[in-house]
Short mmCIF file of all heavy atoms in Angstrom, two decimals:
data_model
loop_
_atom_site.label_atom_id
_atom_site.label_comp_id
_atom_site.label_asym_id
_atom_site.label_seq_id
_atom_site.Cartn_x
_atom_site.Cartn_y
_atom_site.Cartn_z
N THR C 137 91.73 -0.64 -79.65
CA THR C 137 92.82 -1.63 -79.79
C THR C 137 92.45 -2.86 -78.94
O THR C 137 92.16 -2.76 -77.81
CB THR C 137 94.13 -1.03 -79.27
OG1 THR C 137 94.31 0.26 -79.93
CG2 THR C 137 95.31 -1.92 -79.46
N SER C 138 92.48 -4.02 -79.61
CA SER C 138 92.05 -5.20 -78.99
C SER C 138 93.16 -5.78 -78.02
O SER C 138 94.32 -5.54 -78.22
CB SER C 138 91.85 -6.25 -80.06
OG SER C 138 91.39 -7.46 -79.50
N SER C 139 92.71 -6.46 -77.03
CA SER C 139 93.67 -7.20 -76.15
C SER C 139 94.12 -8.51 -76.87
O SER C 139 95.00 -9.17 -76.41
CB SER C 139 93.00 -7.53 -74.85
OG SER C 139 92.02 -8.48 -74.92
N TYR C 140 93.39 -8.89 -77.94
CA TYR C 140 93.78 -10.15 -78.69
C TYR C 140 94.74 -9.63 -79.80
O TYR C 140 94.51 -8.74 -80.56
CB TYR C 140 92.53 -10.70 -79.31
CG TYR C 140 91.55 -11.29 -78.27
CD1 TYR C 140 90.45 -10.51 -77.95
CD2 TYR C 140 91.76 -12.53 -77.69
CE1 TYR C 140 89.56 -10.95 -76.92
CE2 TYR C 140 90.87 -12.94 -76.69
CZ TYR C 140 89.84 -12.19 -76.37
OH TYR C 140 88.99 -12.63 -75.42
N GLN C 141 95.76 -10.48 -79.99
CA GLN C 141 96.64 -10.35 -81.14
C GLN C 141 96.04 -11.15 -82.31
O GLN C 141 95.35 -12.10 -82.09
CB GLN C 141 98.00 -10.98 -80.83
CG GLN C 141 98.89 -10.19 -79.93
CD GLN C 141 100.22 -10.99 -79.65
OE1 GLN C 141 100.38 -12.10 -80.01
NE2 GLN C 141 101.12 -10.22 -79.06
N ARG C 142 96.55 -10.81 -83.53
CA ARG C 142 96.24 -11.72 -84.68
C ARG C 142 96.95 -13.01 -84.49
O ARG C 142 98.01 -13.03 -83.84
CB ARG C 142 96.63 -11.01 -86.00
CG ARG C 142 95.67 -10.00 -86.51
CD ARG C 142 94.27 -10.55 -86.77
NE ARG C 142 94.10 -11.27 -87.90
CZ ARG C 142 93.10 -12.14 -88.18
NH1 ARG C 142 92.22 -12.38 -87.27
NH2 ARG C 142 92.98 -12.73 -89.35
N PRO C 143 96.45 -14.11 -84.99
CA PRO C 143 97.16 -15.36 -84.88
C PRO C 143 98.58 -15.25 -85.42
O PRO C 143 98.90 -14.55 -86.37
CB PRO C 143 96.35 -16.30 -85.82
CG PRO C 143 95.01 -15.69 -85.89
CD PRO C 143 95.19 -14.26 -85.84
N ASN C 144 99.51 -16.05 -84.74
CA ASN C 144 100.88 -16.07 -85.09
C ASN C 144 101.04 -16.65 -86.43
O ASN C 144 100.66 -17.76 -86.67
CB ASN C 144 101.60 -16.87 -83.96
CG ASN C 144 103.01 -17.08 -84.23
OD1 ASN C 144 103.52 -16.71 -85.27
ND2 ASN C 144 103.67 -17.65 -83.21
N PRO C 145 101.74 -15.95 -87.38
CA PRO C 145 101.89 -16.45 -88.77
C PRO C 145 102.73 -17.82 -88.74
O PRO C 145 102.76 -18.52 -89.75
CB PRO C 145 102.58 -15.41 -89.50
CG PRO C 145 102.56 -14.29 -88.67
CD PRO C 145 102.27 -14.64 -87.28
N LYS C 146 103.45 -18.05 -87.61
CA LYS C 146 104.12 -19.34 -87.53
C LYS C 146 103.33 -20.42 -87.05
O LYS C 146 103.68 -21.64 -87.03
CB LYS C 146 105.40 -19.14 -86.70
CG LYS C 146 106.47 -18.33 -87.39
CD LYS C 146 107.78 -18.38 -86.63
CE LYS C 146 108.82 -17.53 -87.40
NZ LYS C 146 109.88 -17.12 -86.44
N ALA C 147 102.09 -20.08 -86.61
CA ALA C 147 101.12 -21.16 -86.09
C ALA C 147 100.08 -21.44 -87.07
O ALA C 147 99.42 -22.48 -87.03
CB ALA C 147 100.57 -20.69 -84.77
N PHE C 148 99.76 -20.52 -87.95
CA PHE C 148 98.71 -20.62 -88.90
C PHE C 148 99.08 -20.05 -90.31
O PHE C 148 100.09 -19.40 -90.39
CB PHE C 148 97.45 -19.83 -88.49
CG PHE C 148 96.73 -20.23 -87.25
CD1 PHE C 148 97.15 -19.75 -86.03
CD2 PHE C 148 95.78 -21.23 -87.36
CE1 PHE C 148 96.44 -20.20 -84.83
CE2 PHE C 148 95.10 -21.66 -86.21
CZ PHE C 148 95.47 -21.13 -84.94
N LYS C 149 98.37 -20.40 -91.28
CA LYS C 149 98.62 -19.83 -92.68
C LYS C 149 97.84 -18.58 -92.67
O LYS C 149 96.61 -18.55 -93.14
CB LYS C 149 98.10 -20.87 -93.78
CG LYS C 149 98.86 -22.19 -93.75
CD LYS C 149 100.20 -21.98 -94.39
CE LYS C 149 100.78 -23.45 -94.46
NZ LYS C 149 102.27 -23.41 -94.90
N ILE C 150 98.35 -17.56 -92.15
CA ILE C 150 97.58 -16.35 -91.81
C ILE C 150 97.16 -15.63 -93.07
O ILE C 150 96.07 -14.93 -93.03
CB ILE C 150 98.40 -15.40 -90.90
CG1 ILE C 150 97.57 -14.20 -90.34
CG2 ILE C 150 99.69 -14.89 -91.59
CD1 ILE C 150 96.61 -14.67 -89.24
N ASN C 151 97.86 -15.84 -94.20
CA ASN C 151 97.30 -15.20 -95.44
C ASN C 151 96.33 -16.07 -96.26
O ASN C 151 95.97 -15.70 -97.34
CB ASN C 151 98.53 -14.78 -96.38
CG ASN C 151 99.35 -15.98 -96.76
OD1 ASN C 151 99.09 -17.14 -96.33
ND2 ASN C 151 100.37 -15.81 -97.60
N ALA C 152 95.90 -17.05 -95.62
CA ALA C 152 94.76 -17.88 -96.20
C ALA C 152 93.52 -17.64 -95.44
O ALA C 152 93.55 -17.22 -94.24
CB ALA C 152 95.08 -19.32 -96.12
N LYS C 153 92.32 -17.71 -96.06
CA LYS C 153 91.05 -17.33 -95.44
C LYS C 153 90.43 -18.64 -94.89
O LYS C 153 89.58 -19.33 -95.53
CB LYS C 153 90.19 -16.67 -96.45
CG LYS C 153 89.07 -15.80 -95.84
CD LYS C 153 88.57 -14.82 -96.79
CE LYS C 153 87.25 -14.20 -96.39
NZ LYS C 153 87.31 -13.38 -95.15
N VAL C 154 90.98 -19.01 -93.73
CA VAL C 154 90.60 -20.24 -93.08
C VAL C 154 89.57 -20.07 -91.99
O VAL C 154 89.62 -19.09 -91.12
CB VAL C 154 91.85 -20.89 -92.41
CG1 VAL C 154 91.50 -22.11 -91.67
CG2 VAL C 154 92.98 -21.12 -93.51
N SER C 155 88.52 -20.86 -91.91
CA SER C 155 87.34 -20.71 -91.05
C SER C 155 87.92 -20.56 -89.60
O SER C 155 87.49 -19.63 -88.90
CB SER C 155 86.42 -21.88 -91.19
OG SER C 155 85.85 -21.88 -92.44
N GLY C 156 88.78 -21.47 -89.15
CA GLY C 156 89.24 -21.48 -87.76
C GLY C 156 89.87 -20.19 -87.30
O GLY C 156 89.83 -19.85 -86.13
N HIS C 157 90.48 -19.40 -88.23
CA HIS C 157 91.02 -18.10 -87.81
C HIS C 157 89.97 -17.14 -87.24
O HIS C 157 90.32 -16.19 -86.56
CB HIS C 157 91.70 -17.45 -88.96
CG HIS C 157 92.83 -18.17 -89.66
ND1 HIS C 157 93.47 -17.76 -90.76
CD2 HIS C 157 93.42 -19.34 -89.32
CE1 HIS C 157 94.39 -18.64 -91.16
NE2 HIS C 157 94.39 -19.61 -90.32
N TYR C 158 88.78 -17.37 -87.62
CA TYR C 158 87.75 -16.41 -87.26
C TYR C 158 87.28 -16.46 -85.85
O TYR C 158 86.51 -15.69 -85.44
CB TYR C 158 86.58 -16.38 -88.40
CG TYR C 158 87.14 -15.76 -89.59
CD1 TYR C 158 87.93 -16.39 -90.49
CD2 TYR C 158 86.98 -14.36 -89.82
CE1 TYR C 158 88.49 -15.81 -91.56
CE2 TYR C 158 87.56 -13.76 -90.89
CZ TYR C 158 88.33 -14.48 -91.81
OH TYR C 158 88.88 -13.80 -92.83
N VAL C 159 87.70 -17.46 -85.10
CA VAL C 159 87.42 -17.44 -83.62
C VAL C 159 88.20 -16.23 -83.08
O VAL C 159 87.63 -15.45 -82.20
CB VAL C 159 87.92 -18.75 -82.97
CG1 VAL C 159 87.76 -18.69 -81.47
CG2 VAL C 159 87.20 -19.99 -83.58
N ASN C 160 89.45 -15.99 -83.54
CA ASN C 160 90.14 -14.86 -83.09
C ASN C 160 89.40 -13.53 -83.45
O ASN C 160 89.23 -12.64 -82.59
CB ASN C 160 91.51 -14.88 -83.81
CG ASN C 160 92.38 -13.57 -83.68
OD1 ASN C 160 92.36 -12.74 -84.50
ND2 ASN C 160 92.91 -13.39 -82.42
N SER C 161 88.79 -13.48 -84.67
CA SER C 161 88.08 -12.26 -85.05
C SER C 161 86.85 -12.07 -84.21
O SER C 161 86.48 -10.94 -83.81
CB SER C 161 87.67 -12.44 -86.53
OG SER C 161 88.78 -12.59 -87.35
N ILE C 162 86.13 -13.18 -83.93
CA ILE C 162 84.88 -13.08 -83.10
C ILE C 162 85.24 -12.54 -81.73
O ILE C 162 84.54 -11.62 -81.19
CB ILE C 162 84.12 -14.49 -82.98
CG1 ILE C 162 83.59 -14.79 -84.39
CG2 ILE C 162 83.06 -14.46 -81.95
CD1 ILE C 162 83.07 -16.26 -84.50
N LEU C 163 86.22 -13.08 -81.11
CA LEU C 163 86.63 -12.63 -79.76
C LEU C 163 87.03 -11.14 -79.76
O LEU C 163 86.58 -10.37 -78.80
CB LEU C 163 87.90 -13.42 -79.23
CG LEU C 163 87.55 -14.81 -78.83
CD1 LEU C 163 88.83 -15.61 -78.60
CD2 LEU C 163 86.67 -15.03 -77.74
N ALA C 164 87.78 -10.72 -80.77
CA ALA C 164 88.24 -9.40 -80.83
C ALA C 164 86.99 -8.32 -81.10
O ALA C 164 86.86 -7.37 -80.39
CB ALA C 164 89.28 -9.09 -81.85
N SER C 165 86.12 -8.74 -82.04
CA SER C 165 85.10 -7.95 -82.39
C SER C 165 84.08 -7.78 -81.21
O SER C 165 83.54 -6.70 -80.85
CB SER C 165 84.35 -8.47 -83.55
OG SER C 165 83.86 -7.55 -84.33
N GLN C 166 83.88 -8.89 -80.51
CA GLN C 166 82.90 -8.92 -79.41
C GLN C 166 83.45 -8.13 -78.21
O GLN C 166 82.69 -7.37 -77.60
CB GLN C 166 82.64 -10.38 -78.94
CG GLN C 166 81.45 -10.46 -77.97
CD GLN C 166 80.17 -9.88 -78.51
OE1 GLN C 166 79.73 -10.20 -79.62
NE2 GLN C 166 79.46 -8.97 -77.80
N GLU C 167 84.74 -8.23 -77.98
CA GLU C 167 85.43 -7.42 -76.95
C GLU C 167 85.18 -5.99 -77.16
O GLU C 167 84.86 -5.19 -76.26
CB GLU C 167 86.87 -7.74 -76.83
CG GLU C 167 87.64 -6.92 -75.69
CD GLU C 167 89.12 -7.12 -75.89
OE1 GLU C 167 89.75 -6.87 -76.99
OE2 GLU C 167 89.73 -7.36 -74.87
N ALA C 168 85.41 -5.57 -78.44
CA ALA C 168 85.19 -4.10 -78.83
C ALA C 168 83.76 -3.74 -78.56
O ALA C 168 83.49 -2.70 -77.90
CB ALA C 168 85.62 -3.90 -80.28
N LYS C 169 82.79 -4.51 -78.99
CA LYS C 169 81.40 -4.12 -78.80
C LYS C 169 81.03 -4.14 -77.25
O LYS C 169 80.26 -3.21 -76.87
CB LYS C 169 80.47 -5.10 -79.58
CG LYS C 169 80.43 -4.61 -80.97
CD LYS C 169 80.01 -5.44 -82.07
CE LYS C 169 80.45 -4.81 -83.36
NZ LYS C 169 80.89 -5.67 -84.44
N ASP C 170 81.50 -5.07 -76.55
CA ASP C 170 81.16 -5.14 -75.10
C ASP C 170 81.75 -3.92 -74.44
O ASP C 170 81.30 -3.59 -73.33
CB ASP C 170 81.81 -6.39 -74.52
CG ASP C 170 81.04 -7.65 -74.91
OD1 ASP C 170 79.87 -7.56 -75.44
OD2 ASP C 170 81.55 -8.77 -74.72
N ASN C 171 82.84 -3.26 -74.98
CA ASN C 171 83.34 -2.08 -74.41
C ASN C 171 82.83 -0.77 -75.02
O ASN C 171 83.33 0.28 -74.73
CB ASN C 171 84.84 -2.13 -74.42
CG ASN C 171 85.51 -3.05 -73.48
OD1 ASN C 171 85.54 -2.76 -72.25
ND2 ASN C 171 85.80 -4.24 -73.89
N GLY C 172 81.72 -0.95 -75.80
CA GLY C 172 81.08 0.23 -76.34
C GLY C 172 81.65 0.78 -77.58
O GLY C 172 81.35 1.95 -78.01
N TYR C 173 82.52 0.06 -78.25
CA TYR C 173 83.16 0.52 -79.49
C TYR C 173 82.44 -0.19 -80.68
O TYR C 173 81.70 -1.13 -80.49
CB TYR C 173 84.66 0.15 -79.55
CG TYR C 173 85.50 0.96 -78.48
CD1 TYR C 173 85.61 0.52 -77.21
CD2 TYR C 173 86.06 2.10 -78.89
CE1 TYR C 173 86.40 1.12 -76.33
CE2 TYR C 173 86.83 2.83 -77.98
CZ TYR C 173 87.01 2.34 -76.67
OH TYR C 173 87.69 3.06 -75.73
N ASP C 174 82.76 0.31 -81.94
CA ASP C 174 82.15 -0.26 -83.10
C ASP C 174 82.90 -1.41 -83.54
O ASP C 174 82.48 -2.40 -84.20
CB ASP C 174 82.11 0.79 -84.24
CG ASP C 174 81.21 1.98 -83.89
OD1 ASP C 174 80.16 1.70 -83.42
OD2 ASP C 174 81.72 3.13 -84.01
N GLU C 175 84.29 -1.37 -83.41
CA GLU C 175 85.13 -2.44 -83.96
C GLU C 175 86.50 -2.48 -83.30
O GLU C 175 86.94 -1.48 -82.76
CB GLU C 175 85.20 -2.19 -85.57
CG GLU C 175 85.90 -3.36 -86.35
CD GLU C 175 85.25 -4.75 -86.11
OE1 GLU C 175 85.33 -5.27 -84.90
OE2 GLU C 175 84.67 -5.29 -87.01
N ALA C 176 87.11 -3.59 -83.58
CA ALA C 176 88.37 -3.83 -82.92
C ALA C 176 89.62 -3.65 -83.91
O ALA C 176 89.37 -3.74 -85.14
CB ALA C 176 88.53 -5.23 -82.40
N LEU C 177 90.75 -3.29 -83.33
CA LEU C 177 92.02 -3.18 -84.17
C LEU C 177 92.93 -4.20 -83.50
O LEU C 177 93.13 -4.06 -82.36
CB LEU C 177 92.55 -1.83 -84.18
CG LEU C 177 93.98 -1.75 -84.88
CD1 LEU C 177 93.79 -1.97 -86.48
CD2 LEU C 177 94.60 -0.40 -84.57
N LEU C 178 93.45 -5.24 -84.30
CA LEU C 178 94.28 -6.16 -83.62
C LEU C 178 95.80 -5.88 -84.02
O LEU C 178 96.10 -5.45 -85.22
CB LEU C 178 93.97 -7.55 -84.14
CG LEU C 178 92.57 -8.04 -83.63
CD1 LEU C 178 91.62 -7.94 -84.74
CD2 LEU C 178 92.71 -9.54 -83.24
N LEU C 179 96.64 -6.15 -83.10
CA LEU C 179 98.12 -6.03 -83.29
C LEU C 179 98.72 -7.35 -83.70
O LEU C 179 98.14 -8.43 -83.56
CB LEU C 179 98.76 -5.43 -82.04
CG LEU C 179 98.19 -4.21 -81.46
CD1 LEU C 179 98.98 -3.64 -80.33
CD2 LEU C 179 97.90 -3.09 -82.54
N ASP C 180 99.97 -7.30 -84.21
CA ASP C 180 100.67 -8.61 -84.50
C ASP C 180 101.54 -8.95 -83.25
O ASP C 180 101.47 -8.32 -82.23
CB ASP C 180 101.47 -8.50 -85.73
CG ASP C 180 102.62 -7.46 -85.63
OD1 ASP C 180 103.05 -7.14 -84.51
OD2 ASP C 180 103.22 -7.07 -86.68
N GLY C 181 102.21 -10.05 -83.37
CA GLY C 181 102.95 -10.54 -82.24
C GLY C 181 104.07 -9.65 -81.73
O GLY C 181 104.65 -9.76 -80.61
N LYS C 182 104.48 -8.56 -82.49
CA LYS C 182 105.49 -7.56 -82.02
C LYS C 182 104.78 -6.21 -81.67
O LYS C 182 105.50 -5.17 -81.60
CB LYS C 182 106.44 -7.41 -83.19
CG LYS C 182 107.30 -8.66 -83.38
CD LYS C 182 108.47 -8.37 -84.34
CE LYS C 182 109.43 -9.54 -84.42
NZ LYS C 182 110.02 -9.72 -85.74
N ASP C 183 103.47 -6.25 -81.54
CA ASP C 183 102.71 -5.06 -81.16
C ASP C 183 102.70 -4.03 -82.22
O ASP C 183 102.43 -2.80 -81.97
CB ASP C 183 103.25 -4.50 -79.78
CG ASP C 183 102.75 -5.28 -78.64
OD1 ASP C 183 101.74 -6.11 -78.82
OD2 ASP C 183 103.23 -5.07 -77.52
N PHE C 184 102.93 -4.44 -83.50
CA PHE C 184 102.60 -3.51 -84.52
C PHE C 184 101.17 -3.66 -85.00
O PHE C 184 100.56 -4.80 -84.82
CB PHE C 184 103.52 -3.75 -85.79
CG PHE C 184 104.98 -3.28 -85.49
CD1 PHE C 184 105.93 -4.28 -85.47
CD2 PHE C 184 105.32 -2.06 -85.22
CE1 PHE C 184 107.32 -3.97 -85.23
CE2 PHE C 184 106.65 -1.62 -85.03
CZ PHE C 184 107.64 -2.57 -84.99
N VAL C 185 100.65 -2.69 -85.58
CA VAL C 185 99.21 -2.74 -86.01
C VAL C 185 99.13 -3.80 -87.13
O VAL C 185 100.04 -3.77 -88.05
CB VAL C 185 98.73 -1.45 -86.58
CG1 VAL C 185 97.51 -1.46 -87.34
CG2 VAL C 185 98.64 -0.38 -85.42
N ALA C 186 98.11 -4.72 -87.11
CA ALA C 186 98.04 -5.76 -88.11
C ALA C 186 96.70 -5.42 -88.90
O ALA C 186 96.75 -4.96 -90.00
CB ALA C 186 97.89 -7.10 -87.43
N GLU C 187 95.52 -5.71 -88.39
CA GLU C 187 94.33 -5.49 -89.19
C GLU C 187 93.12 -5.51 -88.24
O GLU C 187 93.21 -5.79 -87.04
CB GLU C 187 94.33 -6.61 -90.19
CG GLU C 187 94.19 -8.01 -89.70
CD GLU C 187 94.31 -9.06 -90.75
OE1 GLU C 187 93.85 -8.89 -91.84
OE2 GLU C 187 94.84 -10.16 -90.41
N GLY C 188 91.92 -5.35 -88.82
CA GLY C 188 90.69 -5.53 -88.06
C GLY C 188 90.21 -7.06 -88.16
O GLY C 188 90.88 -7.87 -88.82
N PRO C 189 89.22 -7.38 -87.41
CA PRO C 189 88.77 -8.78 -87.40
C PRO C 189 88.25 -9.29 -88.79
O PRO C 189 88.45 -10.46 -89.07
CB PRO C 189 87.51 -8.69 -86.50
CG PRO C 189 87.66 -7.51 -85.70
CD PRO C 189 88.43 -6.52 -86.51
N GLY C 190 87.95 -8.32 -89.65
CA GLY C 190 87.53 -8.75 -91.03
C GLY C 190 87.75 -7.72 -92.02
O GLY C 190 87.11 -7.64 -93.02
N ALA C 191 88.93 -6.97 -91.84
CA ALA C 191 89.25 -5.88 -92.77
C ALA C 191 90.66 -5.47 -92.54
O ALA C 191 91.22 -5.64 -91.46
CB ALA C 191 88.29 -4.67 -92.48
N ASN C 192 91.28 -4.87 -93.60
CA ASN C 192 92.58 -4.24 -93.48
C ASN C 192 92.53 -2.81 -93.03
O ASN C 192 91.51 -2.15 -93.14
CB ASN C 192 93.33 -4.43 -94.77
CG ASN C 192 93.64 -5.83 -95.12
OD1 ASN C 192 93.18 -6.47 -96.06
ND2 ASN C 192 94.41 -6.49 -94.22
N VAL C 193 93.66 -2.29 -92.62
CA VAL C 193 93.64 -0.92 -92.11
C VAL C 193 94.64 -0.04 -92.89
O VAL C 193 95.74 -0.58 -93.36
CB VAL C 193 94.05 -0.97 -90.65
CG1 VAL C 193 95.41 -1.59 -90.31
CG2 VAL C 193 93.94 0.44 -90.01
#
Side-chain angles (χ1 to χ4, degrees):
T137 306
S138 183
S139 69
Y140 295 98
Q141 287 177 349
R142 281 303 279 160
N144 176 352
K146 289 188 179 159
F148 291 93
K149 301 282 186 186
I150 191 73
N151 61 358
K153 203 162 163 64
V154 176
S155 298
H157 298 176
Y158 285 81
V159 177
N160 170 258
S161 298
I162 290 170
L163 290 172
S165 211
Q166 191 59 49
E167 179 190 49
K169 275 163 197 144
D170 289 344
N171 283 283
Y173 293 86
D174 299 310
E175 190 52 294
L177 174 69
L178 293 98
L179 308 184
D180 67 17
K182 292 189 174 148
D183 281 347
F184 290 116
V185 170
E187 60 188 330
N192 291 117
V193 60

